[in-house]
Amino acid sequence: MKKSVLCLTAVFSIFMLGCQTIKTLNLNETQWHYATDPHGSQVIFNGPLVNEERVEITFKRVPRVDKLNNSWVELIYDLPNKQLPEQARITLTYQSDKDLVIKLSQKEYGGEGDKTYAHYQTILPAANTWTTKTVSLNDFQRPSWTPASSKDKGIITNHVSALYFVPSLTDAEGGEAFIKIQSLQVR
């Protein structure tokens, strides 16, 4: 009898751990989408963007067209409450064959703001095996190409509506890169 109870307890514990893992994945397909420029950059899929195990996408970015028309590719996670927690920590389990830029989509720097798109960002190293990294808001900075006309208003957490995941591909060369996300926690 004791052996049966122990086995049931072990099975229940494993089941509960599995449930907790599922809760932290943030793989709700309605919160994930992608964007590319209108100049020829593409996405390539080997299945759906989001499945029960991961988010997976391959981008093919064309080189910058000219001084006024840059190319871009982005995997976007819409935050459920359309804002970050005050002292946010982002934990990501990912694979990416290029360094992975995480941008905070904050209205002051985007289409509703100064239109420079010089969002706060941090860069994670390329990883060909599942890698977990945690970053805090202190890890984010504005990019070096930020124009002087873009006033730095800091990170305003209740104005950050999404996280953008961007493979580090150069404007001059473009290129191809994949991103896979197995788990994302924003707390």
Side-chain angles (χ1 to χ4, degrees):
M1 182 72 162
K2 282 184 180 180
K3 202 174 200 178
S4 298
V5 170
L6 286 175
C7 287
L8 283 174
T9 302
V11 168
F12 181 74
S13 296
I14 291 169
F15 175 76
M16 291 308 293
L17 282 173
C19 289
Q20 289 172 355
T21 301
I22 290 168
K23 282 183 175 180
T24 63
L25 291 179
N26 287 334
L27 297 182
N28 179 338
E29 65 186 42
T30 63
Q31 293 172 292
W32 291 91
H33 56 103
Y34 60 88
T36 61
D37 62 71
H39 308 299
S41 294
Q42 303 171 0
V43 296
I44 303 165
F45 292 105
N46 291 328
L49 175 63
V50 182
N51 64 43
E52 63 278 349
E53 296 176 6
R54 66 181 162 265
V55 177
E56 184 172 349
I57 194 166
T58 299
F59 289 109
K60 189 171 188 176
R61 179 181 172 192
V62 297
R64 183 181 193 110
V65 178
D66 56 41
K67 188 176 180 180
L68 298 176
N69 295 291
N70 198 9
S71 62
W72 42 270
V73 295
E74 303 164 332
L75 173 62
I76 303 166
Y77 173 70
D78 292 321
L79 292 162
N81 298 329
K82 302 293 182 206
Q83 64 183 25
L84 277 176
E86 274 293 314
Q87 299 296 319
R89 293 178 59 78
I90 300 165
T91 301
L92 183 71
T93 301
Y94 72 99
Q95 289 182 24
S96 179
D97 59 340
K98 304 287 188 271
D99 288 349
L100 183 60
V101 181
I102 303 174
K103 297 180 182 181
L104 305 178
S105 180
Q106 182 175 320
K107 69 181 183 180
E108 283 77 11
Y109 313 117
E112 294 179 39
D114 66 15
K115 296 177 181 41
T116 64
Y117 300 96
H119 300 299
Y120 274 83
Q121 65 184 38
T122 191
I123 301 174
L124 301 180
N128 287 315
T129 59
W130 290 115
T131 302
T132 301
K133 298 283 184 185
T134 299
V135 293
S136 70
L137 295 182
N138 292 334
D139 297 312
F140 287 80
Q141 300 173 355
R142 296 188 79 199
S144 59
W145 53 261
T146 300
S149 63
S150 180
K151 288 187 178 180
D152 188 353
K153 298 182 180 182
I155 298 173
I156 303 171
T157 56
N158 61 346
H159 292 182
V160 176
S161 61
L163 303 177
Y164 286 35
F165 300 94
V166 180
S168 186
L169 299 168
T170 66
D171 291 352
E173 296 179 14
E176 193 169 312
F178 72 81
I179 300 172
K180 299 178 186 178
I181 295 177
Q182 188 178 61
S183 175
L184 170 64
Q185 297 175 12
V186 180
R187 57 187 192 288

